[in-house]
Every structure is written in C-alpha cells, then in structure tokens.
C-alpha cells in the first residue's frame, strides 16, 4: 500500500547561542503502538519526551483524539475504555519557547477520518472518497516561517503496487497553479518537498493532488487530494484598528459603569493561543485622584469605572480628561506574547449638579432719560462645564418691569446677564426703578440640587435728568385751505410743550423746512401765516398736500430742539385753463377718409373744474365751411375735413373750455399738414407750396365754386 509519511512537524527553533547543544521538540518523532483489544482508562500507554531547551515551563499537550490525554510528565493515557481509535494519533506539544508534533502509529488499527483536523480545526475542502485504492493520504503539517536550507522534504509517497517505470505527479495551487513552485514531488521516490518559507496568514491550507502516471503521462491512479496544513507561529502583533478611541462617562456614575470597549485584531490563527488576546491598562494620565480610576476586562476589553461616584466629580478633578495606554497581548497574556498598544481617551462629562449664583445680591445702574441700550452686566458663578447647558445661564426679570421697559439677555462668552433699556425712561415720571432678577441654567438641575436665594438678585436703577426737546402737539398738525388765498392769511397757531416741567424753560419757534417759501411763523406765539400765494398745482405739492417742518427750541443750556410737521391740504379753485393735444396732424391730399385727428384735452385742476370739455373751431363764420369738429366724449373730439385740400400747411385755431364756475377757455392753433401721398410715399414737405391762411382758403373755395357755375 501507498503511505504518505507526514513531515515530522518541523520544530520552532527558538534557541539561543548557549542552547546549541539542545534540539527543542520531541526527542522521538514517531512511535509505534500495537492495537490492543482495548485501551484501559488511566492506564499508561507510553511516555513522550519533549524539551524546549528552556526548562519546559508549563508544557501544554493536545491529542488528536478526544479519548486520550498527555499528563504533565509526558505520559499518554486513555480517558476511558476504548477499542477503535484509528491508525494514527498526533500529539502537539507547546511551551512559550517551542512547539512540536509527534506521530503515534497504531499497528493494526482501523482508519478513522478527521482526527487530525479536529485538533487544528481545519475543514477538509475535498473529502477523500471512500473507495478501494492503493493511494491513501493524510495531511502534511508544515510550520510557517521555516528558514533555509530549501528545498526540504516534508513527506514521502510510497507505493509498493506501483507499476515499473510509472511516476508520481503533484498538481494544485502551489505547484502548477499560482503561487507556483512552492511544492514538488520526486517522480521516482515520491518524496514531497517545500521550496520556500510559508506564511499561514497568506495561505493557511494548500489543497494538492497526487497521482501516478505512465511514461507517456497518462494517469494510472488518482488524483488523490493531499492537504498541506501550515502550522501557525506567533509572528503577528495585536493591532488596534478602529481608533481613535474616545469614551464618555457621566460624573458621579456608579462604580462599575462601562465606559467603552476596546478590541484588537491578531492575524495569527484564531484557534490557537497565538491570537488569544488579553488586555490591561499600562498607564493612566493623570493619575489623580487615584492611579486606578478604571479597569479593563482582560478578555472582553470593556473599560469600566472602579472608583466611588464621589471621586468621579468633574468639578474637583484636576483634569476631566483621562488618557489610558491600553495593551493587548497574545499568547493569553503570557510574558512571551507579542503586544500592541493604543490610547483610550475618556471624558468625564458634566451633569448639572451646581446651580448658578449671583456674585452679589444687589447691583447698581444709572441711565439718562431717553437713552436705550445695556446699562449693567450681572455676573454669576457656576462650577459646571462652560461648554454645556449646565453652565449657560438664562436670566428672567420677575418683578419691577410692568411697562416692559427693560430686557435681559445672556452674553454667550462671559455668561453675564446684560440688562438693557429698550423703551426710553422719563425722569419726570420716575427717577428710580428696582428690578428683581433670577438666573437658571439652560439644562435642568439634577434631582438632588435646587435653586437657592443666591440665584436671585436686585438691581437698583437711577434715571438721570437731561434737557429734552419741546414736543409739538398734535404732531403732525393738519389744516385745510383753498389755494390762492391772500398773502398774510393765518393758517394756525402751533403748540409745543417742554417735557422738563421742573425747569420752567421758555420756547421759541422757527421755520425748519418750507420747500416753496410760502410760510412764516411768529417766534414767540407760534402763529403761522402765508408769505406767498398757495398753489395746489405747484410741484412742491403732493396729492394736494403741502408739507412744512417747524422747530421749537427751549432755553436750556445747551438748548434742546423739537420738530413738528404741518400738513396743509389745498382745496382746488378753477385757476387753470384746459389745453389740447396733439397740436400737429397730417392728412393726405387725396384721402378718401377726411378725418384729420382726434384731439384730447387736459386740465391741471380737479373735478368739477375740468371735464366735460367743450371743443370749438374759432372764427370760422363763413357759410361754406371747410373744417368740422365733433365731440367724441367728455375729453376728446374729432377734427375732419369737408373736402380735400391741396398740399400745404394750415393753422386751425381750436378753442377748448372747461366746466368750472366760472369756466376757463384756451385757444390753441392746430397745425394740419396736407401731404402728397403717391405710390405709398408720403411727402409732407411744404417747400414751394402755397401756404394759405384761412381767409385765403375761403376765397379760393369761393373762386372754385364760381368757375364751376360758369
């Protein structure tokens, strides 16, 4: 039969210069045991000798069968009475300094699949078919990170039934598939060798295939799957990959409060101690009030508080931020394990366990009457975190502000209360004001803390008297007058009073703004009269209202001034004659439509001194008329010809009259151009043409009529 002799597990050589005379590992790699009728529980089967050349500190043994164990002295015993255990057992030994594998061949034993894979926890990707064949395989075990020399034999295929001149052939990933050339087989002897160092973290299992071929390369038997398992070495440090690590815990939290979890990653085999991590805190900064403020679960990586809630007081801590150097160590935390570190930042968060307190019970402020703005800043103290709502103050005026003359707001930088006057104060009404103000936090207080007397304060405000300007009453002042009243007419007498009633001051008046220059005011008694005719149609009048401003000046030192507004509503009189538009028109000398132009009329006055307008042709008294004007509506009329005229310019006097009482009339010449219209061209150039006045035109018409009669 064909046997694949597994590589006697190449030993992790961790020797030093002084240990060159010692070879770490099992002193004998292969043992042969005759299959008994039954293995008896706790009966010694054989002794295995393992040495790590460092004193064998706590060696650990693993057996591929769960029915056996190796005692600390190397004795192999059965855990219960058992008959069938398979053809082979493997024993894996390890200390912090070395590890090795021994093979126990059970002579006469029956084959049991999967025992080797149980110990290393690898799943077989291509199970061995259960059929009769001469090729029977077992996995090859090779440690990663082996050193030169290469190639080195790791197993051997022997086939006593192999025909002469037949050859072994090895295929699969690592042979003729990428990565190529890692394994090869001696086609004559069946020795399997590895050509380079292996890295389990790159490929943990190689699935190869062995077959026999004739001289022409034709397969005689196989392929049979061959599994090459790379045994892990502790060659990867734990890594914290998810940083930065920042945790928060509320001040005063109970002992044992979980702050955060930190976990590291180890690329080594997770089924071995090479990736079995343990955590600890290497350093805490600062180390006050206790050097051990926190604890980390060595297996889970949970960081919890271990001090009493009283020590976890943010207001008494030197620094509310702690930095912990967290170490993760593989090999279950043994000294030989590799380590990795990361920094955990823990913030002690504030809770509102301190109420704000005024720095004094009473504040003083002064303000001039009539002024607005901030008059005093109220200061408070709060021990909570200045970046939170537990520190930020909210102020309220709870008494002394019935007229809502005051407001208070929080300065976001200083947390002070800025008390402001928003409605001007009057010294003559009240020279003193007293406000009661309370302060609270934006965030609610914790249940066992409340606001006390220090959270309220009194503000005394003194109003300073200033010389205020006189005030007109009413303002604005309004009068209604007809336009065109006679110069010197009295419009009204203004009235201004001095708010400073206790100062007994006199008042003088003057004109401040009089755009048209129509008004005068008596400086002593305030009588306003006209100095010119008031004209409603003036450009200084807006919608029949004329606006003027007056000053009232007191006798204070310095004097104060008040301004009053006078609105004069001007009633319309019929003082504007209407006018027509347009004043120029054109008509063709051969026009069939004798309409000349539609005239419109307008009047600057107001109704009823405007339309309806009356349109007439002035001085057209001869019997045989040439022009005609017809009313269209109240504001428009049509001018037309009674016959065609020769090319020339004609002036037609139009008289328009409004509806005022008495009415006003305006006479305007309408210039009519009679043009030559030929071949879609209009020629209105009157040069060289006869220009007839209206009498000449009438005579020409009479002459033409006489010729026709003759």
């Amino acid at each position: 039969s064909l046997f694949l002799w597994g590589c006697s597990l190449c030993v992790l050589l961790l020797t030093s210069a002084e240990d060159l005379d010692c070879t770490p590992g099992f002193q004998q790699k292969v043992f042969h045991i005759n299959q008994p009728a039954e293995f008896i529980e706790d009966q010694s089967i054989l002794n295995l000798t393992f040495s790590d050349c460092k004193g064998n500190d706590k060696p650990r043994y693993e057996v591929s069968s769960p029915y056996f164990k190796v005692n600390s002295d190397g004795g192999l015993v059965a855990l219960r009475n058992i008959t069938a255990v398979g053809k082979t057992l493997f024993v894996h030994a390890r200390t912090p300094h070395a590890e090795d594998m021994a093979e126990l061949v059970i002579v006469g034993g029956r084959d049991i699949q999967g025992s080797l894979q149980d110990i290393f926890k690898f799943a077989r990707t291509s199970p061995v078919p259960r059929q009769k064949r001469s090729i029977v395989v077992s996995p090859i075990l090779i440690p990663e990170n082996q050193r030169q020399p290469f190639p080195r034999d790791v197993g051997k295929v022997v086939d006593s039934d192999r025909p002469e001149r037949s050859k072994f052939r090895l295929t699969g990933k690592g042979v003729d598939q990428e990565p190529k050339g890692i394994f090869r087989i001696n086609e004559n002897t069946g020795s399997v060798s590895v050509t380079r160092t292996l890295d389990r973290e790159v490929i943990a299992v190689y699935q190869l295939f062995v077959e026999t071929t004739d001289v022409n390369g034709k397969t005689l038997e196989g392929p049979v799957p061959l599994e090459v398992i790379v045994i892990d070495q502790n060659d990867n440090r734990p890594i914290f990959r998810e940083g930065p690590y920042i945790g928060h815990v509320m001040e005063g939290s109970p002992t044992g409060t979980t702050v955060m979890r930190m976990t590291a990653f180890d690329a080594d085999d997770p089924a071995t101690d090479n990736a079995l991590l343990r955590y600890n805190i290497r350093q805490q900064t600062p180390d006050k009030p206790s050097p051990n403020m926190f604890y980390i679960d060595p297996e889970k990586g949970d960081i919890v508080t271990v001090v009493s809630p009283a020590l976890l007081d943010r207001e008494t801590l030197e620094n509310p931020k702690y930095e912990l150097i967290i170490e993760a160590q593989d090999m279950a935390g043994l000294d030989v394990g590799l380590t990795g570190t990361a920094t955990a930042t823990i913030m002690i968060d504030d809770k509102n366990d301190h109420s704000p307190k005024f720095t004094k019970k009473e504040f003083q402020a002064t303000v001039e009457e009539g002024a607005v703005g901030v008059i005093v800043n109220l200061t408070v103290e709060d021990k909570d975190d200045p970046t939170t709502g537990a520190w930020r103050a909210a102020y309220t005026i709870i008494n002394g502000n019935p007229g809502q003359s005051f407001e208070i707001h929080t300065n976001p930088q200083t947390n002070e209360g800025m008390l402001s006057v928003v409605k001007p104060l009057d010294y003559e009404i009240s020279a003193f004001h007293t406000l009661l103000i309370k302060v609270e936090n934006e965030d609610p207080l914790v249940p066992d803390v409340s606001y006390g007397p220090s959270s309220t304060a009194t503000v005394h405000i003194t109003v300073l008297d200033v010389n205020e300007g006189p005030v007109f009453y009413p303002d604005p002042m309004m009068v209604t007058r007809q336009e065109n009243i006679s110069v010197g007419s009295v419009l009204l007498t203004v009235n201004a009073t001095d708010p400073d009633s206790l100062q007994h001051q006199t008042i003088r008046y003057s004109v401040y703004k009089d755009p048209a220059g129509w008004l005068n005011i008596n400086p002593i008694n305030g009588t306003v009269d006209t100095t010119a005719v008031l004209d409603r149609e003036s450009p200084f009048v807006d919608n029949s209202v004329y606006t003027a401003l007056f000053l009232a000046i007191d006798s204070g030192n310095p004097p104060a001034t008040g301004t009053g507004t006078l609105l004069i509503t001007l009633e319309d009189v019929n003082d504007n004659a209407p006018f027509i538009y347009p004043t120029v028109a054109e008509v063709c000398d051969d026009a069939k439509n004798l309409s000349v132009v539609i005239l419109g009329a307008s009047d600057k006055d107001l109704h009823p001194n405007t339309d309806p307008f009356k349109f007439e042709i002035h001085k057209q008294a001869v019997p045989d008329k040439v022009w005609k004007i017809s009313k269209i509506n109240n504001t428009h009329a049509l001018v037309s010809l009674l016959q065609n005229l020769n090319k020339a310019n004609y002036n037609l006097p139009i008289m328009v009259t409004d509806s005022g009482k008495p009415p006003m009339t305006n006479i305007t010449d309408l210039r009519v151009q009679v043009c030559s219209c030929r071949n879609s061209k209009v020629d209105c150039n009157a040069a060289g043409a006869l220009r007839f006045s209206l009498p000449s035109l009438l005579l020409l018409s009479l002459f033409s009529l006489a010729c026709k009669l003759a």
Side-chain angles (χ1 to χ4, degrees):
S1 61
L2 176 65
F3 290 90
L4 179 63
W5 295 92
C7 165
S8 298
L9 180 67
C10 301
V11 182
L12 276 172
L13 298 179
L14 303 175
T15 59
S16 58
E18 60 270 17
D19 296 326
L20 292 177
D21 57 343
C22 177
T23 302
F26 284 104
Q27 305 308 302
Q28 181 179 343
K29 308 294 187 181
V30 181
F31 299 84
H32 290 80
I33 306 172
N34 292 321
Q35 170 72 51
E38 186 177 38
F39 290 100
I40 306 303
E41 181 180 358
D42 291 334
Q43 185 179 54
S44 178
I45 300 171
L46 79 157
N47 287 322
L48 299 94
T49 304
F50 174 84
S51 174
D52 64 359
C53 302
K54 295 289 185 179
N56 271 13
D57 181 22
K58 299 179 181 179
R60 298 175 62 183
Y61 297 93
E62 294 174 306
V63 184
S64 59
S65 171
Y67 306 118
F68 296 88
K69 73 172 183 177
V70 177
N71 294 324
S72 59
D73 60 358
L76 176 67
V77 297
L79 295 176
R80 70 175 190 178
N81 296 342
I82 186 171
T83 56
V85 298
K87 293 182 179 181
T88 307
L89 295 178
F90 292 91
V91 178
H92 183 241
R94 175 166 56 187
T95 72
H97 305 289
E99 63 178 329
D100 199 3
M101 183 78 74
E103 181 180 7
L104 283 64
V105 179
I106 311 298
V107 180
R110 294 190 300 272
D111 189 22
I112 295 179
Q113 297 292 328
S115 59
L116 181 65
Q117 293 177 353
D118 289 337
I119 185 172
F120 292 106
K121 298 181 177 61
F122 286 112
R124 193 179 287 274
T125 58
S126 298
V128 179
R130 294 181 178 271
Q131 65 184 50
K132 184 176 180 180
R133 57 159 61 112
S134 60
I135 300 178
V136 179
V137 298
S138 295
I140 294 178
L141 308 176
I142 306 176
E144 65 174 334
N145 302 327
Q146 286 183 316
R147 298 179 182 176
Q148 294 285 354
F150 290 107
R152 63 170 67 190
D153 290 341
V154 294
K156 185 176 182 180
V157 176
V158 179
D159 186 359
S160 59
D161 297 332
R162 182 164 60 97
E164 291 186 8
R165 301 180 64 187
S166 64
K167 299 179 180 181
F168 293 103
R169 181 162 62 191
L170 188 65
T171 59
K173 183 178 180 180
V175 182
D176 56 350
Q177 300 175 23
E178 293 296 339
K180 296 180 179 180
I182 297 179
F183 303 99
R184 61 191 184 192
I185 190 170
N186 187 305
E187 61 183 15
N188 296 317
T189 66
S191 293
V192 179
S193 59
V194 63
T195 63
R196 68 188 77 163
T197 298
L198 303 182
D199 187 348
R200 191 205 68 85
E201 285 71 48
V202 177
I203 300 177
V205 179
Y206 293 86
Q207 191 68 50
L208 308 181
F209 298 90
V210 179
E211 58 186 345
T212 57
T213 65
D214 61 17
V215 293
N216 296 320
K218 182 179 179 180
T219 301
L220 299 176
E221 185 179 357
V224 176
L226 168 62
E227 209 169 44
V228 178
I229 301 171
V230 183
I231 303 302
D232 186 43
Q233 281 189 327
N234 192 21
D235 57 348
N236 289 277
R237 292 182 178 275
I239 300 173
F240 290 91
R241 301 190 299 185
E242 300 175 359
Y245 296 92
I246 300 175
H248 294 263
V249 61
M250 189 69 68
E251 64 172 328
S253 295
T255 303
T257 299
T258 300
V259 181
M260 60 191 299
R261 171 174 288 187
M262 290 186 64
T263 56
F265 169 77
D266 194 311
D268 289 320
D269 186 357
T272 69
D273 286 355
N274 294 339
L276 184 58
L277 304 183
R278 293 294 181 263
Y279 301 93
N280 69 91
I281 300 175
R282 293 292 303 273
Q283 181 179 332
Q284 170 191 300
T285 305
D287 59 359
K288 302 289 177 56
S290 169
N292 299 304
M293 299 284 289
F294 306 94
Y295 165 80
I296 187 168
D297 187 301
E299 296 184 3
K300 297 180 180 179
D302 289 338
I303 300 176
V304 299
T305 61
V306 293
V307 294
S308 66
L311 289 180
L312 210 61
D313 185 358
R314 198 199 66 85
E315 286 75 37
T316 60
L317 294 176
E318 178 181 319
N319 188 339
K321 180 175 76 173
Y322 286 86
E323 290 189 348
L324 308 180
I325 305 299
I326 305 299
E327 178 185 75
Q329 187 171 30
D330 59 23
M331 297 299 292
L334 296 177
D335 292 342
V336 295
L338 302 178
T339 61
T341 61
T343 299
T345 301
I346 299 178
M347 306 298 300
I348 310 302
D349 292 337
D350 187 38
K351 64 180 180 181
N352 198 8
D353 54 352
H354 295 85
S355 61
K357 297 179 180 180
F358 283 102
T359 57
K360 51 187 178 181
K361 289 299 296 179
E362 295 186 349
F363 294 84
Q364 305 291 330
T366 58
V367 59
E368 291 184 346
E369 64 172 331
V372 294
V374 177
I375 58 174
V376 65
N377 290 314
L378 309 183
T379 54
V380 295
E381 293 178 345
D382 195 316
K383 296 180 180 181
D384 291 314
D385 185 356
T387 64
T388 67
W391 177 81
R392 291 189 292 270
Y395 297 87
T396 306
I397 302 173
I398 58 178
N399 196 15
N401 191 27
Q404 305 301 309
S405 299
F406 303 92
E407 288 183 358
I408 188 165
H409 301 280
T410 304
N411 185 318
Q413 281 74 41
T414 64
N415 216 30
E416 295 176 345
M418 302 181 295
L419 181 63
S420 303
V421 176
V422 294
K423 293 182 180 180
L425 304 177
D426 192 337
Y427 171 83
E428 283 72 30
I429 295 177
S430 177
F432 300 96
H433 297 267
T434 300
L435 305 179
L436 185 61
I437 297 176
K438 72 174 181 179
V439 61
E440 296 178 339
N441 288 130
E442 289 184 3
D443 291 350
L445 296 173
V446 296
D448 56 340
V449 178
S450 60
Y451 295 103
S454 298
S455 296
T456 59
T458 302
V459 182
H460 300 286
I461 302 165
T462 301
V463 182
L464 303 178
D465 187 25
V466 296
N467 186 22
E468 301 172 84
V471 178
F472 284 88
Y473 182 82
D475 190 28
M477 301 161 281
M478 293 181 285
V479 297
T480 300
R481 295 289 185 274
Q482 277 194 344
E483 63 175 331
N484 301 334
I485 60 176
S486 58
V487 176
S489 298
V490 175
L491 300 180
L492 81 165
T493 298
V494 301
N495 179 36
T497 58
D498 192 343
D500 300 306
S501 57
L502 303 179
Q503 298 185 21
H504 304 292
Q505 299 180 126
T506 59
I507 297 176
R508 295 181 61 84
Y509 300 95
S510 65
V511 177
Y512 179 42
K513 287 186 178 180
D514 179 15
W518 292 343
L519 305 176
N520 175 64
I521 189 169
N522 186 301
I524 304 301
N525 60 23
T527 299
V528 179
D529 57 14
T530 62
T531 59
V533 175
L534 307 183
D535 183 6
R536 194 199 65 82
E537 291 75 35
S538 167
F540 299 107
V541 176
D542 182 18
N543 198 24
S544 301
V545 177
Y546 180 71
T547 302
L549 300 180
F550 297 95
L551 297 179
I553 306 167
D554 66 19
S555 57
N557 186 19
T561 302
T563 303
T565 301
L566 172 61
L567 302 179
I568 305 174
T569 300
L570 296 175
E571 296 178 339
D572 186 43
V573 296
N574 196 17
D575 57 348
N576 289 277
F579 57 90
I580 64 167
Y581 59 89
T583 57
V584 177
E586 295 179 355
V587 66
C588 291
D589 57 358
D590 60 351
K592 295 181 180 180
N593 183 358
L594 298 181
S595 297
V596 177
V597 68
I598 294 177
L599 295 179
S602 183
D603 196 317
K604 293 182 179 179
D605 292 319
L606 298 177
H607 190 78
N609 296 320
T610 56
D611 62 90
F613 298 112
K614 181 180 180 182
F615 296 89
E616 299 175 278
I617 298 176
H618 188 55
K619 295 181 180 179
Q620 185 177 245
V622 294
D624 193 6
K625 298 178 180 179
V626 177
W627 305 92
K628 179 183 177 181
I629 189 166
S630 305
K631 178 179 178 181
I632 297 176
N633 55 31
N634 289 342
T635 57
H636 291 79
L638 172 66
V639 176
S640 58
L641 285 169
L642 298 178
Q643 64 184 45
N644 292 113
L645 297 178
N646 293 328
K647 177 182 176 182
N649 292 334
Y650 303 90
N651 289 326
L652 182 65
I654 302 297
M655 182 171 65
V656 58
T657 304
D658 64 24
S659 297
K661 294 182 180 180
M664 294 196 73
T665 299
N666 181 28
I667 300 174
T668 303
D669 281 343
L670 172 65
R671 184 186 181 196
V672 180
Q673 295 177 301
V674 179
C675 306
S676 174
C677 304
R678 302 291 185 272
N679 300 324
S680 301
K681 293 184 179 180
V682 179
D683 180 12
C684 295
N685 188 358
L690 293 176
R691 296 178 179 271
F692 298 97
S693 65
L694 186 58
S696 299
L697 180 63
L698 294 176
L699 290 175
L700 180 60
S701 299
L702 292 174
F703 178 75
S704 299
L705 181 60
C707 290
K708 290 179 181 180
L709 293 175

